[in-house]
Amino acid sequence: MAFFQAGTSAGSAMETSNYAHVIFQNVGKSYLPNAALECHYTLTQFIKPHQKDWVGIFKVGWSTARDYYTFLWSPLPEEYTEGTAINRSVVFQGYYVPNDDGEFYQFCYVTHKGEIRGASTPFQFRANTPT
Amino acid sequence: VCAGDESVASHFALVTAYEDIKKRLRDTERENMLLRKRVKQLEDKLFRHEAP
């Protein structure tokens, strides 16, 4: 797809694609509805975190950052050295996550300026098939 | 952020999801095929035993 070829000529794709500056780790294929959901992610050295950055759960096919289902502020590290990668996590409480509705969702990392800097693989909320 | 950036980001996220769901479909279809084969094997075994 032409889209992926856009930024691969100079350096790694990671450096050139703004959308992979935050990497979501160990994202399940499905999660239990109404149960707390832990979201782990890595801020690569290419992004400088800000206290008003946030992580949202979006329905796949969203078109603007305002389409989030729910969100949490991304916690700043206590000590941060610019240019280093750091691991972070947030916990979405059960009453904020979607029900078993047959839809696919994904996490997205959004900066204080409203820029999307990372998107996860998709997952569903399903009552009987936790993975 | 200009609207163009957001539209590219939205497209990127959709492609990420699409590629993953496509892979899952392939895996699920493979599992479906294996399960059909297994059911067939068990049926064959069952009917062989029932034969006089």
Side-chain angles (χ1 to χ4, degrees):
Chain A
M1 229 171 250
F3 190 80
F4 277 136
Q5 292 157 9
T8 49
S9 52
S12 72
M14 196 119 115
E15 280 171 280
T16 47
S17 171
N18 287 334
Y19 311 112
H21 286 180
V22 177
I23 312 289
F24 290 93
Q25 309 288 357
N26 305 318
V27 178
K29 288 184 169 61
S30 70
Y31 293 102
L32 289 170
N34 310 310
L37 200 180
E38 266 185 64
C39 168
H40 295 265
Y41 53 98
T42 302
L43 298 160
T44 65
Q45 61 269 40
F46 306 111
I47 183 170
K48 185 170 181 278
H50 184 277
Q51 59 178 359
K52 289 288 180 184
D53 290 354
W54 50 280
V55 176
I57 295 178
F58 289 76
K59 194 180 282 188
V60 164
W62 57 270
S63 52
T64 84
R66 293 180 298 279
D67 295 341
Y68 63 88
Y69 183 90
T70 187
F71 82 99
L72 288 171
W73 298 112
S74 175
L76 273 181
E78 281 174 22
E79 285 177 37
Y80 171 69
T81 316
E82 216 169 305
T84 56
I86 45 169
N87 295 317
R88 304 273 81 194
S89 69
V90 289
V91 179
F92 292 94
Q93 293 306 319
Y95 40 85
Y96 287 127
V97 304
N99 284 316
D100 185 344
D101 58 2
E103 297 283 352
F104 281 91
Y105 292 87
Q106 67 192 149
F107 300 120
C108 292
Y109 187 97
V110 188
T111 69
H112 63 291
K113 292 177 183 167
E115 304 153 327
I116 312 289
R117 305 296 286 274
S120 77
T121 53
F123 47 85
Q124 289 178 297
F125 290 89
R126 298 180 69 164
N128 296 318
T129 53
T131 48
Chain B
V1 189
C2 77
D5 284 351
E6 192 168 48
S7 144
V8 173
S10 148
H11 184 69
F12 174 85
L14 182 57
V15 169
T16 299
Y18 168 75
E19 292 295 337
D20 197 79
I21 293 171
K22 195 166 72 172
K23 182 185 169 296
R24 274 185 234 177
L25 174 62
R26 278 199 303 269
D27 292 348
T28 306
E29 281 174 338
R30 193 172 304 132
E31 195 192 357
N32 187 23
M33 199 189 67
L34 291 172
L35 288 171
R36 277 175 194 281
K37 215 179 272 182
R38 188 69 185 131
V39 167
K40 183 75 173 48
Q41 282 172 356
L42 292 173
E43 274 175 2
D44 287 351
K45 201 173 169 183
L46 184 66
F47 294 134
R48 200 172 56 233
H49 279 276
E50 278 181 359

